Amino acid sequence: MPSYADEDRKIEQLHPHFYSVIIPTYNERLNIALICYLLFKHMKDYKFEVIVVDDASPDGTQDTVKKLQGIYGEDRILLRPRAAKLGLGTAYVHGLKYASGDYVVIMDADLSHHPKYLPSFIRKQLETNADIVTGTRYVKGGGVHGWDLRRKLTSRGANVLAHTLLWPRVSDLTGSFRLYRKDVLQEVVQTCVSKGYVFQMELIVRATRMGCRIEEVPITFVDRVYGTSKLGGTEIVQYLKGLLWLFFTT
Amino acid sequence: MKQVWKIGTIFTAVVGIWISLLLTPGLPPSLQLIVPYFPMYALASLGCYGLGALGYGMMVFRVCPEEADLLQKDITEAKTFFKEHGVDLSSD
């Protein structure tokens, strides 16, 4: 019977990289447990760690994470909380400080990003030696669930606008399910100043301008099952402002 | 080069060509008639492109209710696992 060491060595040879999965959370007590279970299920062939950056959730997210550490080990799930709700961009910077992998995965905690797609991100990266692999909902094999007509129109309209103005080389600018080479992410994230949806777009546009090699894989996006997501007038105005900001600065 | 300069350069070049066409003497009368309206054509074309791209995008936008069902199964599976491992996930 092969020992664990043999197994480890086999994994080492097949998959030479170490992946740090950074998940920012705020009130995701249930979702963070589900996502960890699915990560360990679908990523069992890869070396990886999960870094949960929790912004002082009042719902006990951190207690759940501690219980998960009890099951999976404190070296596999790292809890790196912050004292207050400080936003997404800085959450990545914070998580990056503790990442020991040479590659970093960033995904949402709300289960709209399913860990089952990660092996396809990794395969794509190995095949193409890309700096960034980004998940896209807009190509064959991708898709969404749980969006009404208005949301779909807004999303596609935003996409047409962004493509007309910015000429990015990726089809899905606002998706945030991505795999990065760590040093690339560290460099790009320094130059980004926006928040929310615009942050994701800024990151990928600036990376394009820096000459990074970016590849895409199709993902499906199931709108959050537990809790609510919002896309209102203020988000749209912010997006348009962000678009203009990038038009003039990149 | 910044995006604004790229698009600005193209825009300026196109406007330049249009103005030089306007000022060219001896164009056939049929052309002379339509050249002044080129900006309107351009604007309309841009609008058509936008609407067309939006329409095409909506047309090929896939919805995947089956993914939601699969996710529900995964959630049930995960909950069973955590129950066995004594982690309470019941949302109050």
Side-chain angles (χ1 to χ4, degrees):
Chain A
M1 200 182 136
S3 67
Y4 279 118
D6 287 339
E7 280 287 299
D8 281 353
R9 219 167 295 133
K10 212 167 84 192
I11 288 176
E12 180 112 14
Q13 281 161 3
L14 277 173
H15 310 292
H17 299 298
F18 185 56
Y19 301 92
S20 297
V21 184
I22 300 178
I23 308 179
T25 57
Y26 184 75
N27 285 349
E28 303 284 1
R29 198 168 80 90
L30 176 57
N31 285 331
I32 192 64
L34 301 175
I35 208 162
C36 281
Y37 172 81
L38 293 171
L39 270 170
F40 279 88
K41 180 180 171 186
H42 293 284
M43 289 280 286
K44 59 180 185 306
D45 292 340
Y46 302 94
K47 281 183 296 176
F48 74 100
E49 63 183 1
V50 184
I51 301 172
V52 181
V53 180
D54 184 67
D55 278 6
S57 306
D59 75 335
T61 301
Q62 294 184 26
D63 298 328
T64 306
V65 175
K66 281 171 194 152
K67 284 179 199 156
L68 294 169
Q69 287 177 322
I71 298 176
Y72 295 109
E74 274 180 42
D75 54 331
R76 305 299 303 279
I77 300 183
L78 284 61
L79 177 59
R80 297 291 180 265
R82 299 192 296 173
K85 204 172 176 187
L86 296 170
L88 213 56
T90 52
Y92 296 154
V93 177
H94 182 82
L96 263 173
K97 281 194 287 199
Y98 305 100
S100 16
D102 45 349
Y103 284 84
V104 174
V105 171
I106 284 175
M107 59 194 297
D108 290 352
D110 62 4
L111 287 180
S112 52
H113 298 156
H114 198 298
K116 71 181 171 193
Y117 293 110
L118 279 177
S120 71
F121 280 71
I122 292 171
R123 268 199 306 276
K124 183 63 132 187
Q125 195 284 320
L126 289 171
E127 277 166 25
T128 60
N129 197 28
D131 298 310
I132 302 174
V133 180
T134 173
T136 173
R137 300 160 284 194
Y138 302 134
V139 300
K140 199 166 181 293
V144 296
H145 171 75
W147 282 12
D148 57 11
L149 185 67
R150 196 183 88 93
R151 180 86 193 259
K152 277 198 227 159
L153 266 174
T154 317
S155 166
R156 297 287 354 194
N159 207 40
V160 170
L161 264 183
H163 274 90
T164 311
L165 274 186
L166 301 177
W167 310 349
R169 280 172 303 199
V170 290
S171 62
D172 192 345
L173 286 165
T174 48
S176 49
F177 194 2
R178 295 179 187 148
L179 170 74
Y180 300 86
R181 202 188 290 278
K182 187 167 77 177
D183 46 356
V184 168
L185 179 58
Q186 272 167 335
E187 200 183 330
V188 184
V189 90
Q190 299 298 333
T191 63
C192 293
V193 293
S194 319
K195 292 183 174 68
Y197 286 106
V198 183
F199 175 78
Q200 307 298 349
M201 179 165 68
E202 179 172 17
L203 206 67
I204 208 78
V205 170
R206 292 203 186 276
T208 312
R209 305 285 190 255
M210 274 167 55
C212 291
R213 169 140 199 198
I214 304 170
E215 293 289 335
E216 294 190 302
V217 289
I219 56 159
T220 57
F221 182 96
V222 177
D223 209 0
R224 52 182 308 148
V225 185
Y226 299 104
T228 49
S229 64
K230 60 182 174 94
L231 180 69
T234 41
E235 276 80 18
I236 295 174
V237 172
Q238 263 174 14
Y239 178 84
L240 293 175
K241 274 189 195 158
L243 210 59
L244 280 179
W245 158 254
L246 288 177
F247 180 65
F248 286 107
T249 61
T250 69
Chain B
M1 189 156 76
K2 295 235 189 302
Q3 192 66 15
V4 56
W5 300 126
K6 263 191 220 166
I7 291 185
T9 311
I10 294 173
F11 181 77
T12 317
V14 170
V15 169
I17 293 170
W18 176 59
I19 290 177
S20 63
L21 265 181
L22 272 181
L23 300 176
T24 311
L27 278 179
S30 56
L31 262 179
Q32 255 171 7
L33 213 59
I34 58 163
V35 165
Y37 299 104
F38 275 0
M40 275 156 72
Y41 287 119
L43 215 59
S45 312
L46 192 68
C48 287
Y49 155 77
L51 281 177
L54 182 64
Y56 176 76
M58 289 297 284
M59 214 170 67
V60 298
F61 210 172
R62 186 170 77 105
V63 287
C64 43
E66 68 280 4
E67 287 296 328
D69 298 339
L70 287 173
L71 182 61
Q72 282 308 327
K73 275 186 203 140
D74 286 337
I75 289 172
T76 317
E77 187 184 311
K79 280 183 172 168
T80 318
F81 171 84
F82 285 119
K83 214 171 186 178
E84 282 164 7
H85 285 75
V87 179
D88 175 33
L89 289 179
S90 54
S91 34
D92 328 302

